[in-house]
């Protein structure tokens, strides 16, 4: 089953999530074959100024080369660091973002987004 936009239940869960500072959103992206990559470029060009305005930043944007473990494939991988949940929610409700998000919806055939927080020790 493809996933493009958050469900109402996921939006409610976001609202309940504590705002404990910065987090990284991991985006796994699969584009539609008929111009999806170009549509996502239109989305990105509109969203980057919004990210800058709210204090977020793109940490990494790359393409999938091969799947080493598992059997799923993704076209692009995007990591965005947000300073807080509040900043992310501000972006989602921003008028300019609302005018741009349709390009993302039109671009993707499937996606996964993961909200992650840092763990201080690796083990």
């Amino acid at each position: 089953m493809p996933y493009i936009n958050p469900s109402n239940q996921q939006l409610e869960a976001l609202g309940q999530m504590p705002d404990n500072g910065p987090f990284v959103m991991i985006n796994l992206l699969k584009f539609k074959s008929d111009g999806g990559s170009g549509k996502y470029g239109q989305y990105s060009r509109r969203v980057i100024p919004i990210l800058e305005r709210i204090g977020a930043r793109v940490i990494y944007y790359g393409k999938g080369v091969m799947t080493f473990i598992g059997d799923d494939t993704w076209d692009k991988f995007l990591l965005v660091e947000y300073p807080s949940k509040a900043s992310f929610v501000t972006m989602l409700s921003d008028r300019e973002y609302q005018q741009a998000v349709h390009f993302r919806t039109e671009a993707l055939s499937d996606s996964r987004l993961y909200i992650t927080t840092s763990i201080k020790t690796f083990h």
Side-chain angles (χ1 to χ4, degrees):
M1 171 193 238
Y3 298 94
I4 308 299
N5 295 306
S7 67
N8 288 336
Q9 184 179 22
Q10 289 165 323
L11 289 170
E12 288 174 19
L14 175 66
Q16 299 300 316
M17 187 180 92
D19 196 344
N20 294 329
F23 68 87
V24 172
M25 180 77 75
I26 300 172
N27 296 253
L28 309 179
L29 307 169
K30 193 172 293 187
F31 298 123
K32 291 179 181 173
S33 58
D34 58 342
S37 183
K39 288 276 189 188
Y40 198 82
Q42 292 178 53
Y43 167 76
S44 297
R45 285 188 291 281
R46 287 165 173 80
V47 169
I48 286 173
I50 299 167
L51 293 175
E52 292 171 351
R53 189 169 61 241
I54 65 168
R57 66 187 182 101
V58 173
I59 297 172
Y60 177 81
Y61 184 57
K63 66 179 182 172
V65 176
M66 68 169 275
T67 301
F68 186 61
I69 296 177
D71 60 1
D72 55 343
T73 59
W74 298 96
D75 295 323
K76 297 288 173 69
F77 300 82
L78 173 67
L79 280 71
V80 179
E81 183 180 50
Y82 293 90
S84 65
K85 179 184 89 167
S87 65
F88 180 67
V89 170
T90 295
M91 180 190 75
L92 293 179
S93 60
D94 183 276
R95 183 181 57 81
E96 289 179 41
Y97 182 81
Q98 289 296 317
Q99 292 172 347
V101 75
H102 74 92
F103 289 109
R104 181 185 180 282
T105 302
E106 294 166 9
L108 297 175
S109 64
D110 200 3
S111 68
R112 302 292 184 277
L113 276 67
Y114 298 92
I115 296 174
T116 68
T117 56
S118 177
I119 299 172
K120 302 302 178 203
T121 58
F122 178 71
H123 56 138

